[in-house]
Amino acid sequence: MDQPLFTVDETLCRRDGLCAAACPASLVRQDAPDALPYPLPGKAEHCIRCGHCVAICPTGALRHSLLPLEDFPLIDRKKTLPPAALAEHLKTRRSIRTFREEAVPQETFAAILDTVRYAPTGHNRQEVQWTILDGRRAVHEFLMRVNEWMRSEVKARTPFSRAMSLAGAVRAVDKGKDVVTRDAPHAVFAHVPDEGVTPMTDAIIATTWFEIVAHAHGVGTCFAGYLMFALEHKPELARCLGIPEGRTVPAALLVGTPKYRYRRMVPRDEPKAVFLPGLAGGEE
Ligand SMILES: Cc1cc2nc3c(=O)[nH]c(=O)nc-3n(C[C@H](O)[C@H](O)[C@H](O)COP(=O)(O)O)c2cc1C
Ligand code: SF4
């Protein structure tokens, strides 16, 4: 017989129903308030391995066949950030466009990605992967490919090249002023399968997490719009990054150690949000 999706230690289980309440796929059943939870028979393939059933149990009674309990460290509330500290961190993040020449150590990238892998993904697919151009030379080589693509867009007078003023960017790069990759020592690309649940959104979320976590490590980042346009309009460019066909690159960052330090935060517009006590009308 197949292994059950999870087992519950009846000596530890408090029959509190938390695991059943937390499972997004309704795979945890509890037939009565004092009954032991059990996995919905024949539906194990619907488990998205989110870990909620294990993580919410106060006594460690639930053992998941795909997710060992050792991978569920206890939460230390003293280590979680108070809102003011998190706000300070987010508000002091800036898009960095001037970098020191030296590379960011690979261990720092590893530490950043070790946190970023916890970013949410649709159906918990966790399919975002990363390619990191390592060193100015590699970034510059890719810049040259992107500049040729931009030049071809300008020559063909595509509406996109006009909308994005690509002619100016090409002129600047040709003169040695790098307005595209900003002489960064790294360009980081998030890539996902072409098909999936929410691959594009997952990549954007993960890249946003990357920016935030990098900032905590003293590493500067800036979304690399030109590189993202180039990869969107000429997906074959991904091949020279070693990214295989069947994968899309929805997001790219320039990464490096900031050359200068900001002294102040910056102003931003007030949030615009509405609370709707009912539907606003429109189509049924
Ligand atoms: C783009 C996106 C769409 C999602 N849509 C849903 C949804 O419709 N319903 C839902 O229950 N969870 C949804 N989720 C949450 C994911 O299932 C969840 O992030 C994933 O299972 C990992 O769990 P965690 O966020 O608790 O780490 C979505 C997540 C993302 C990133
Ligand atoms: S890992 Fe998530 S989806 Fe799977 S049984 Fe537990 S709570 Fe449900």
Side-chain angles (χ1 to χ4, degrees):
M1 213 175 87
D2 283 348
Q3 198 186 10
L5 183 62
F6 61 82
T7 55
V8 177
D9 182 331
E10 56 185 286
T11 63
L12 294 175
C13 179
R14 290 185 191 166
R15 278 78 167 165
D16 51 26
L18 295 178
C19 49
C23 177
S26 305
L27 298 176
V28 185
R29 287 300 161 98
Q30 188 185 20
D31 293 334
D34 57 349
L36 207 62
Y38 63 92
L40 186 65
K43 299 287 180 194
E45 78 273 16
H46 294 293
C47 174
I48 60 170
R49 301 188 306 118
C50 67
H52 282 220
C53 52
V54 180
I56 207 160
C57 179
T59 61
L62 194 147
R63 300 294 168 105
H64 197 288
S65 63
L66 306 171
L67 305 164
L69 191 62
E70 308 84 81
D71 294 345
F72 289 80
L74 283 172
I75 294 172
D76 180 353
R77 303 273 168 214
K78 290 194 291 293
K79 285 190 187 163
T80 56
L81 273 183
L86 180 58
E88 187 85 2
H89 181 68
L90 292 173
K91 290 177 184 179
T92 54
R93 180 212 60 84
R94 295 274 66 78
S95 292
I96 300 301
R97 301 183 183 86
T98 319
F99 299 97
R100 297 224 299 250
E101 199 170 330
E102 69 267 18
V104 172
Q106 290 196 356
E107 305 82 70
T108 306
F109 276 108
I112 294 168
L113 291 174
D114 189 54
T115 301
V116 171
R117 70 194 167 103
Y118 289 86
T121 54
H123 278 195
N124 195 32
R125 284 284 181 93
Q126 303 178 66
E127 288 171 322
V128 182
Q129 293 181 21
W130 304 91
T131 293
I132 300 163
L133 283 179
D134 203 10
R136 268 190 177 181
R137 220 175 102 178
V139 177
H140 190 261
E141 257 183 81
F142 190 62
L143 167 66
M144 290 299 105
R145 304 276 180 111
V146 170
N147 203 34
E148 285 324 302
W149 166 76
M150 295 197 300
R151 199 188 310 283
S152 67
E153 289 283 302
V154 172
K155 258 194 185 151
R157 296 170 181 269
T158 62
F160 178 76
S161 78
R162 282 186 211 175
M164 300 310 301
S165 311
L166 292 187
V170 172
R171 266 198 307 278
V173 172
D174 285 347
K175 280 190 201 148
K177 182 165 170 44
D178 179 7
V179 295
V180 173
T181 57
R182 307 275 178 187
D183 296 316
H186 304 280
V188 171
F189 303 88
H191 54 97
V192 285
D194 292 340
E195 308 282 336
V197 180
T198 51
M200 306 288 275
T201 313
D202 295 348
I204 303 291
I205 293 171
T207 310
T208 305
W209 274 48
F210 191 110
E211 278 216 297
I212 294 165
V213 180
H215 177 42
H217 284 268
V219 172
T221 57
C222 183
F223 270 89
Y226 287 111
L227 304 190
M228 287 161 60
F229 298 141
L231 285 156
E232 183 188 345
H233 289 256
K234 193 173 185 211
E236 311 87 78
L237 273 173
R239 303 297 93 75
C240 67
L241 297 171
I243 298 168
E245 269 186 57
R247 293 189 70 87
T248 307
V249 191
L253 291 175
L254 308 175
V255 176
T257 306
K259 193 165 179 183
Y260 308 115
R261 198 200 315 207
Y262 287 83
R263 305 290 162 168
R264 293 176 186 269
M265 296 183 199
V266 293
R268 289 289 184 257
D269 294 344
E270 289 297 317
K272 295 167 193 71
V274 292
F275 292 92
L276 283 183
L279 293 189
E283 269 186 43
E284 292 231 324

